[in-house]
């Protein structure tokens, strides 16, 4: 069991590192892209993504997980023929899904654009539809890629997924930015289309990479081994029913946030127009929120997603061993780490909102910077709750209850949809209501998830050790960062003041983590590499 657990965790670490690299490259792409194609171009670009993500979730969310699970079950019984049959069935289904979603976006481009464009102008709709058409083929490429990723992950070959993910981002960065730059003289709509064509090309290259990895390792899959098993005798229909049973709950959960993103793209601009802004202003404010602020706000999620990925197999292994004490320790560690990561990120982004935005988006006007600063400060509060949502979701999935976080996120999504409509009509809030609605969404889902974990596992609530240590440390760090930045700017320093302040904040927080001994020895089991500095961080006495 320990060998299998190490295999799971090492695989999770591979995917976690790849995810970190992917997010960094993604930020490197989006931030200069926003400067290149300006607010108008980013509005075209950002409008497509919620629709794309919603259609993509059908193939990329639940089915790879289901394939991986069913393949790994058969491999554990040396049923390699059965595993291959699962893969063939899944590939067939994902091919159909990919073609269907591609055609839906291709032929629905005009309709989606009409929904998104608040002005109703035919010319604006036509410009927006170009980006939808450019994105459509990637839905087929990703669907096919998901079949290979799920199969390879079930065979415990995480490297194929990791390499294809990183390749995808590198190609998107190079091709997308190059095309956007080349097409910019023709107009912002063409530049946005070029950036999206880069996404489509990157998905095709990633598909080729993972197919080559599959072909190179095909002999290792030993399809000739194994007797005529139950899986082999099973009909394709029964395999597809099992795939659906596993995939549907995960897919529903993963579709909630993209759907709320569609609501954002439709509602925000329309409400702004309704309360008196002209369409161009509404478009710019939407672009600042979705194109400038949200990429920064989502960056800390890289760490909590990697953490959630690592916690799922760790807790699953403890559940399989009926190790209730181990489950409690892992669950408590997950919640604690969510706060240890989320609290300083939230406070840092709040305190340095304006300097960070100015540094990353130097082309923003003074008026735009005021809006972005306010949006960033409100959205930063949500970082703490988003960290909690992502980590506790990993814990609950490890407990074998994947539907629970789906239900709670759905409740949070409903709160977001209702609150965005109410809050944006409040005088003085307008676009800020959209940011506040996202915070409320994650707050509701995070609190519900946390309460469920505590009740389900029976872990004791340690307010000081689990909650207050990270939050108090983050607040102290925030005060020092604020004072440091103020002192440095008074000396005439610009961008360097921001960078130095971030570095000082990091050092202060790490120092407080050591001083307050935030970790105990049980936490080390679930944090790769941290055991090496255990003696420095472990509390003298476990409580």
């Amino acid at each position: 069991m320990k060998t299998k657990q190490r295999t799971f965790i090492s695989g999770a670490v591979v995917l976690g590192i790849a995810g970190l690299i992917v997010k960094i490259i993604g930020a490197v792409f989006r931030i200069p892209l926003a400067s290149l194609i300006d607010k108008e171009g980013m509005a075209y670009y950002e409008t497509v993504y919620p629709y794309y993500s919603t259609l993509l979730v059908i193939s990329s969310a639940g089915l790879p997980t289901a394939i991986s699970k069913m393949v790994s079950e058969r491999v554990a019984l040396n049923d390699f023929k059965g595993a291959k049959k699962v893969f063939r069935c899944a590939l067939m289904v994902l091919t159909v899904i990919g073609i269907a979603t591609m055609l839906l976006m291709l032929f629905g481009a005009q309709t989606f654009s009409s929904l998104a464009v608040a002005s109703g102008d035919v010319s604006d709709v036509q410009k927006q539809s170009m980006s939808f058409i450019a994105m459509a083929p990637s839905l087929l490429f990703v669907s096919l890629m998901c079949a290979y990723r799920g199969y390879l992950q079930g065979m415990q070959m995480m490297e194929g997924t990791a390499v294809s993910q990183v390749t995808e981002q590198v190609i998107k960065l190079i091709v997308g930015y190059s095309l956007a730059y080349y097409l910019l003289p023709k107009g912002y709509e063409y530049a946005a289309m070029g950036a999206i064509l880069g996404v489509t090309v990157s998905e095709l290259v990633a598909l080729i990479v993972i197919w080559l990895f599959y072909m190179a390792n095909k002999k290792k899959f030993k399809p000739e081994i194994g007797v005529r098993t139950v899986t082999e005798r099973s009909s394709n229909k029964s395999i597809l029913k099992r795939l659906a049973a596993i995939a549907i709950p995960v897919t529903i959960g993963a579709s909630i946030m993209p759907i709320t993103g569609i609501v954002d793209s439709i509602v925000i601009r329309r409400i702004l127009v309704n309360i008196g802004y002209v369409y161009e202003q509404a478009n710019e404010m939407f672009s600042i929120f979705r194109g400038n602020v949200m990429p920064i706000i989502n960056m800390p999620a890289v760490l909590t997603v990697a953490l959630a990925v690592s916690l799922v197999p760790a807790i699953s292994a403890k559940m399989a061993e009926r190790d209730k004490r181990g489950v409690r320790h892992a669950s408590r560690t997950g919640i604690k780490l969510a706060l240890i990561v989320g609290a300083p990120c939230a406070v840092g982004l709040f305190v340095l909102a304006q300097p960070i935005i100015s540094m990353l988006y130097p082309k923003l006007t003074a008026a735009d910077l005021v809006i972005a600063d306010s949006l960033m400060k409100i959205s930063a509060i949500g970082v703490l709750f988003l960290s909690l949502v992502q980590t506790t979701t990993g814990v609950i999935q490890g407990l074998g209850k994947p539907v629970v976080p789906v239900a709670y996120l759905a409740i949070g999504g409903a709160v977001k949809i209702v609150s965005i409509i109410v809050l944006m009509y409040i005088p003085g809030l307008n676009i800020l209501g959209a940011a506040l609605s996202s915070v409320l969404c994650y707050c509701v889902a995070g609190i519900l998830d946390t309460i469920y974990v505590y009740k389900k596992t029976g872990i004791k609530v340690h307010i000081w050790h689990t909650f207050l240590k990270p939050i108090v440390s983050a607040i102290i760090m925030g005060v020092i960062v604020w004072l440091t930045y103020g002192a440095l700017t008074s000396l005439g320093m610009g961008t360097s003041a921001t960078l130095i302040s971030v570095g000082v904040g990091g050092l202060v927080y790490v120092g407080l983590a050591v001083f307050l001994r935030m970790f105990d020895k049980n936490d080390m089991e679930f944090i790769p590499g941290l055991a090496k500095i255990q003696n420095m961080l472990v509390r003298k006495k476990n409580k």
Side-chain angles (χ1 to χ4, degrees), residues 347 351 473-485:
V347 171
V351 172
S473 298
I475 291 172
I476 294 171
M477 178 207 76
V479 171
I480 294 173
V481 166
W482 180 70
L483 292 172
T484 302
Y485 181 76

Side-chain angles (χ1 to χ4, degrees), residues 256 260 404-418 440-442 444-445 448:
I256 292 169
T260 61
V404 171
V406 172
Y408 291 155
L409 192 57
I411 293 171
V415 169
K416 175 181 169 65
I417 291 170
V418 172
L440 291 173
C441 169
Y442 294 128
V444 169
L448 291 174

Side-chain angles (χ1 to χ4, degrees), residues 231-468:
T231 305
E232 192 180 357
R233 293 194 303 268
S234 299
S235 65
N236 289 345
K237 184 178 179 180
S238 64
I239 294 174
L240 294 176
K241 286 176 70 175
R242 178 84 198 287
L243 282 169
I246 299 171
I248 287 174
V250 179
T251 302
I252 292 172
S255 67
I256 292 169
M257 295 320 296
I259 289 172
T260 61
I262 291 177
V263 172
D264 277 354
S265 71
I266 295 173
V267 169
I268 291 175
R269 285 174 287 199
R270 292 182 186 277
I271 292 178
L272 289 172
V273 169
N274 289 344
I275 61 178
Y277 290 93
V278 299
Y279 176 70
E280 288 72 17
Q281 289 176 308
N283 213 29
E284 287 187 4
M285 293 170 77
F286 171 78
S287 177
I288 291 169
F289 177 49
R290 297 291 302 189
N292 299 118
V293 173
M294 292 313 295
I296 302 172
I297 291 297
N298 289 331
M299 286 190 72
V302 177
L303 301 173
T304 46
V305 166
L307 172 61
V309 169
S310 297
L311 281 168
V312 172
I315 294 176
S316 298
K318 298 294 182 185
M319 290 287 289
E321 294 168 354
R322 299 184 183 277
D323 180 3
K324 293 183 179 180
R325 187 169 178 270
V327 169
R328 286 195 293 272
H329 283 315
S331 301
R332 181 174 61 84
T333 296
I335 293 173
K336 182 196 293 187
L337 288 174
L339 292 162
I340 288 172
V341 172
C345 291
V347 171
L349 291 173
F350 182 90
V351 172
L352 294 177
Q354 188 269 341
I356 290 173
I357 293 171
S358 297
M359 179 178 69
L360 296 176
Y361 305 107
K363 286 188 176 181
L364 287 180
T365 65
D368 292 338
L369 197 56
V370 170
I371 297 171
D373 177 50
S374 299
L375 286 168
M376 179 86 121
K377 280 183 163 62
I378 293 173
S379 300
I381 301 168
V383 170
L384 179 62
F385 297 108
L386 177 57
S387 299
L388 206 54
V389 168
Q390 290 173 327
T391 308
T392 51
T393 296
V395 172
I396 296 171
Q397 287 175 345
L399 294 172
K401 301 291 182 181
V403 177
V404 171
V406 172
Y408 291 155
L409 192 57
I411 293 171
V415 169
K416 175 181 169 65
I417 291 170
V418 172
S419 62
I420 194 174
I421 296 171
V422 173
L423 293 171
M424 284 191 68
Y425 277 105
I426 296 177
L429 276 184
N430 53 70
I431 188 68
L432 302 183
L436 190 54
S437 71
S438 295
V439 174
L440 291 173
C441 169
Y442 294 128
C443 178
V444 169
I447 290 172
L448 291 174
D449 282 341
T450 304
I451 291 171
Y452 179 86
V453 170
Y454 272 93
K455 286 186 176 180
K456 182 68 177 177
T457 61
I459 56 178
K460 294 181 180 178
V461 180
H462 292 292
I463 299 295
W464 170 241
H465 291 306
T466 304
F467 295 94
L468 292 184

Side-chain angles (χ1 to χ4, degrees), residues 106-125:
L106 197 61
F107 292 107
Q110 203 78 7
T111 302
F112 295 149
S113 298
S114 298
L115 286 172
V117 175
S119 69
D121 186 272
V122 175
S123 175
D124 289 335
V125 172

Side-chain angles (χ1 to χ4, degrees), residues 11 32 39 128 136 152 189 213 319 327 350 417 488 495 512 516:
K39 297 183 292 295
Q128 181 63 70
L152 291 169
E189 68 274 21
F213 186 90
M319 290 287 289
V327 169
F350 182 90
I417 291 170
L488 293 174
T495 300
L512 289 168
L516 294 175

Side-chain angles (χ1 to χ4, degrees), residues 521 524-525 527-538:
K521 67 180 182 181
M524 308 303 170
E525 183 180 351
I527 313 172
L530 199 56
K532 295 179 181 179
I533 53 173
Q534 177 174 346
N535 293 334
M536 181 172 64
L537 297 177
V538 171

